[in-house]
Amino acid sequence: MRDWFRRKYLDLLGSIYIYNEHRGYTAIDRVLQAVRARWPEDMDFIRKLEKHRADEQKHYLMFRRWFERRGMMPIAVDRTCGHIDRFVGIMFGSPIDDLDPMLIVKRDDLFERMCRVVSLTERRGHRQVEILLRHPIVRSDPMLMKMFRIIEQDEPSHWAPYDEWLRIHGRREPSWWERAIDRFIHGELLFLKLPLLFATPRLKRRRSWPDESDQSPVPFDHAIVASGA
Ligand SMILES: [Fe+2]
Ligand SMILES: [Fe+2]
């Protein structure tokens, strides 16, 4: 029973993470394209976003490698388990894929909203990783511990450029109600969706890796993961 619980916990945790990491870098790709078009001279901001994008892809690849070592595909979780999907859905009233990043960068009021959503999501991710690093089931998996330590180190550089943009442009920080929405989404995942997934006996697994459908697939580089770069 204990071993069943441990395996299912790790299985679900990894599946939710690999979904969110993939969602992260593919969404940043679209934002980057729009930011390059709107502020081509702001190389500092662009470089920081490129670094953010590269990190999220690196995190994705670490989880892919972790699943490959386990010899199984991730459970097919959908966007209801995506923190950023839910956050964008509530704040913009539209799924991420239906949003036009070009329209968002043209309107400062929309872009500042997006910066706050990304910043809160990244801070949430950092807090969550700190909790997971103390979790006994996670601690029983050395590879996962190594991955979460890398993520923990990367995270602060992810929210920084968005906070900086807000500060430089004299825009406000996240308000109490934006923080409340972030807490609500996290609680919903932890106390509603995760227990529901746990109680479902035969969850379907993905048949392909999420990056196989990327617009411009970057070749899977085992070396990047192996070196933990
Ligand atoms: Fe990440
Ligand atoms: Fe991140």
Side-chain angles (χ1 to χ4, degrees):
M1 178 68 182
R2 267 185 69 155
D3 197 49
W4 172 87
F5 186 89
R6 180 183 170 275
R7 268 189 288 124
K8 184 139 186 179
Y9 179 91
L10 291 176
D11 215 6
L12 281 169
L13 183 69
S15 302
I16 291 172
Y17 260 89
I18 200 169
Y19 172 86
N20 277 277
E21 305 292 3
H22 181 256
R23 170 52 98 193
Y25 79 79
T26 49
I28 299 169
D29 261 345
R30 299 175 64 225
V31 172
L32 247 172
Q33 214 181 353
V35 166
R36 284 195 194 105
R38 171 80 163 84
W39 297 287
E41 70 295 338
D42 196 349
M43 284 313 292
D44 184 53
F45 188 45
I46 290 169
R47 270 195 212 103
K48 284 172 180 163
L49 261 53
E50 283 170 347
K51 155 86 166 63
H52 183 190
R53 191 259 183 224
D55 277 357
E56 300 301 358
Q57 188 184 32
K58 177 182 76 182
H59 299 170
Y60 165 79
L61 292 173
M62 294 192 302
F63 280 100
R64 175 169 167 171
R65 182 85 182 109
W66 182 75
F67 272 107
E68 285 179 335
R69 284 225 184 146
R70 288 164 72 84
M72 56 178 67
M73 294 297 282
I75 293 165
V77 300
D78 62 13
R79 65 181 188 213
T80 58
C81 290
H83 192 93
I84 195 75
D85 289 86
R86 287 287 288 135
F87 215 165
V88 165
I90 292 170
M91 295 296 290
F92 290 87
S94 159
I96 292 183
D97 293 334
D98 294 350
L99 280 181
D100 179 3
M102 282 307 197
L103 192 88
I104 293 178
V105 293
K106 274 184 201 151
R107 280 183 47 187
D108 280 4
D109 61 323
L110 294 181
F111 192 71
E112 67 170 299
R113 194 186 303 171
M114 195 211 73
C115 286
R116 286 192 289 269
V117 166
V118 177
S119 175
L120 284 172
T121 302
E122 293 295 336
R123 286 173 189 274
R124 165 70 55 200
H126 190 244
R127 280 201 298 278
Q128 189 54 41
V129 163
E130 285 184 327
I131 293 167
L132 288 170
L133 282 168
R134 294 195 296 271
H135 197 289
I137 296 181
V138 176
R139 293 183 76 88
S140 71
D141 187 317
M143 186 173 177
L144 201 55
M145 282 295 285
K146 191 178 165 202
M147 289 155 56
F148 279 136
R149 283 201 191 100
I150 292 170
I151 295 174
E152 186 193 27
Q153 284 199 344
D154 288 343
E155 229 62 300
S157 74
H158 295 176
W159 68 69
Y162 306 93
D163 285 5
E164 218 171 86
W165 190 93
L166 290 168
R167 205 175 47 248
I168 290 169
H169 293 82
R171 307 290 163 147
R172 68 170 172 81
E173 289 182 358
S175 62
W176 68 267
W177 60 270
E178 285 166 328
R179 291 178 197 278
I181 292 172
D182 170 56
R183 269 198 304 277
F184 165 76
I185 295 167
H186 187 63
E188 192 185 51
L189 178 65
L190 219 60
F191 302 116
L192 186 73
K193 290 169 188 168
L194 202 57
L196 248 166
L197 287 169
F198 236 104
T200 310
R202 272 179 296 277
L203 291 165
K204 265 200 240 146
R205 291 195 180 270
R206 294 189 61 97
R207 286 166 180 268
S208 62
W209 295 102
D211 62 301
E212 284 175 40
S213 54
D214 284 358
Q215 296 289 336
S216 51
V218 177
F220 182 61
D221 187 351
H222 286 258
I224 296 175
V225 180
S227 69

